[in-house]
Amino acid sequence: MVHTWTSLISTVFLLLLCLTGLPLIFHHEIDEALGYAPLPEAATGRPPLPAQQIVQAALAADPGRVMQYVSWDKDEPGIVFGFTNNAPDGKPDDTTVRAFDAVTAKPLGLVGVGPMLIVLKLHTDMFAGQAGKLFLGAMGLLFVVAIVSGVVLYWPFTRRLRFATIRDHSARRVAWLDWHNLIGVVTIVWMLVVGLTGVINTWAELMLNQWKATELAEMVKPYAGKPPPVKLAPLDQVVAQAKQAAPGMDVAFVAYPGTPFTSSHHYAAFMRGDTPLTSRLLKPVLLDGETGEVSDTRALPTYLQALLISQPLHFGDYGGIPLKIIWAILDVLTITVIGSGLYLWLARRRKRGRVAATSQVALAR
């Protein structure tokens, strides 16, 4: 009963997540094929421009707006991304992201546009904001319960038949049940990993708010009551100071004062390492918005580190094309498990309906 109803309640939304998640596994490749992925100019051998010139180019491209973030892609060192909005704490949907050539500061086009943006919004929140994320997180938890309860149901079944037995000479519903159980067992680890990481991702905003209310509040306590900076320190000074505060690390992105990732008085430089793991585990460095001097730095709490690891793991976005293909195959198999489970439930209901109708006819006679 637990397996049946947890599966049924979440079925439609799980199908939506699996169907939208499939193209998102290859979103980089799809964006490139459709012409939505920015490419740097062929300016080899030339050093990158000062970061402040990229900021000026971003503000010139969007007059009347303010900078929120500047980020550097570790896989595309020739590109710098500028995030502008109507206000430092403006709505995420109002953010404009532009790519710039790191050597020439030439705009390379908008980022986060095109059909994949629609697919991403459907997958993350169904265009319902935080409420949609939390709802999909609840569906993800039901999915995990359905997986665990399915294993409990399948365990006695394995004692009666050999593993991977398909009774194709029996009724069609029996054969589908065998396929449903087999594919479910084969993909169980992957489904649990993707399901749990998906749930964690839906809590991202809640985790960030918790960090801001606790650790970030503690880090900026000496600046309590101070007004926001009137004149900001140049970005290059901020980057240089952050690198000195975190030796051996590079800057992933810088949040401007007043944005959701920092305080109203501080820049926040989020540093990354150079290994596949440490490049995901960011370390914040807070810097005074006026002077660019380091105010504080400390590791992120465990729950935010878990979030940072779960994001690429959810889409298989850390092992190149071979891992993405494996993720896609497992996604298709999961769609098969969900679809076959729905078919088995409908077939059982039809069978019960026929039995009930036959019994009523017999009683009437």
Side-chain angles (χ1 to χ4, degrees):
M1 185 65 70
V2 172
H3 179 71
T4 298
W5 285 107
T6 53
S7 301
L8 285 175
I9 293 172
S10 58
T11 289
V12 174
F13 302 100
L14 289 175
L15 282 174
L16 170 68
L17 293 174
C18 288
L19 291 171
T20 54
L22 189 58
L24 286 173
I25 296 172
F26 302 100
H27 69 96
H28 291 297
E29 292 75 15
I30 293 174
D31 281 341
E32 288 181 0
L34 297 178
Y36 291 106
L39 297 174
E41 294 182 332
T44 58
R46 295 172 55 187
L49 290 173
Q52 190 63 31
Q53 292 193 30
I54 303 295
V55 172
Q56 294 170 357
L59 292 174
D62 292 303
R65 293 164 72 86
V66 298
M67 290 302 302
Q68 280 192 309
Y69 312 101
V70 177
S71 71
W72 292 260
D73 190 334
K74 64 182 180 66
D75 297 322
E76 286 288 356
I79 296 179
V80 182
F81 299 93
F83 297 66
T84 62
N85 204 316
N86 299 318
D89 58 348
K91 297 179 181 178
D93 290 341
D94 294 335
T95 300
T96 299
V97 186
R98 294 184 185 274
F100 296 87
D101 189 279
V103 173
T104 64
K106 178 182 177 180
L108 301 176
L110 292 171
V111 179
V113 296
M116 292 309 297
L117 177 62
I118 298 175
V119 177
L120 179 62
K121 291 290 289 181
L122 278 173
H123 187 83
T124 55
D125 63 13
M126 301 184 299
F127 293 93
Q130 183 61 23
K133 292 179 183 179
L134 294 177
F135 178 80
L136 290 177
M139 294 301 102
L141 288 175
L142 287 179
F143 181 47
V144 172
V145 173
I147 294 172
V148 174
S149 58
V151 172
V152 173
L153 289 174
Y154 184 69
W155 186 257
F157 175 81
T158 59
R159 299 177 181 177
R160 299 195 303 268
L161 296 172
R162 291 194 316 172
F163 178 74
T165 297
I166 303 297
R167 293 168 291 179
D168 50 3
H169 297 297
S170 302
R172 183 172 61 177
R173 189 178 70 84
V174 174
W176 267 109
L177 175 63
D178 292 340
W179 277 113
H180 176 82
N181 291 334
L182 175 59
I183 298 174
V185 168
V186 170
T187 59
I188 183 173
V189 174
W190 181 85
M191 287 192 290
L192 281 172
V193 169
V194 172
L196 289 172
T197 53
V199 171
I200 292 173
N201 288 338
T202 64
W203 298 339
E205 189 170 334
L206 300 178
M207 292 180 180
L208 178 60
N209 290 337
Q210 175 65 17
W211 175 71
K212 290 171 62 177
T214 54
E215 298 207 17
L216 180 60
E218 183 68 25
M219 294 169 73
V220 303
K221 185 178 291 184
Y223 290 79
K226 289 188 177 182
V230 176
K231 184 178 180 181
L232 294 177
L235 184 59
D236 296 279
Q237 180 182 346
V238 170
V239 170
Q241 292 286 348
K243 288 183 177 180
Q244 288 184 12
M249 304 185 78
D250 201 2
V251 181
F253 73 95
V254 173
Y256 271 65
T259 55
F261 286 90
T262 184
S263 74
S264 61
H265 196 87
H266 291 85
Y267 283 101
F270 286 82
M271 314 300 290
R272 63 179 170 221
D274 57 1
T275 68
L277 178 60
T278 59
S279 65
R280 306 291 183 179
L281 300 176
L282 302 180
K283 180 180 181 180
V285 178
L286 290 187
L287 306 103
D288 188 287
E290 292 182 340
T291 66
E293 297 295 326
V294 174
S295 299
D296 198 354
T297 179
R298 61 183 69 179
L300 289 173
T302 303
Y303 59 87
L304 280 182
Q305 292 181 359
L307 172 66
L308 292 172
I309 293 175
S310 71
Q311 289 174 337
L313 186 60
H314 185 70
F315 291 109
D317 193 18
Y318 61 90
I321 287 295
L323 186 63
K324 290 185 177 184
I325 293 174
I326 294 173
W327 244 238
I329 293 172
L330 292 169
D331 187 285
V332 172
L333 291 175
T334 301
I335 293 173
T336 304
V337 171
I338 296 172
S340 60
L342 182 59
Y343 162 76
L344 291 169
W345 181 75
L346 292 173
R348 189 183 310 150
R349 283 181 61 87
R350 285 197 298 267
K351 182 178 179 180
R352 290 178 179 175
R354 287 194 298 268
V355 171
T358 303
S359 300
Q360 290 177 358
V361 170
L363 290 173
R365 292 177 179 176

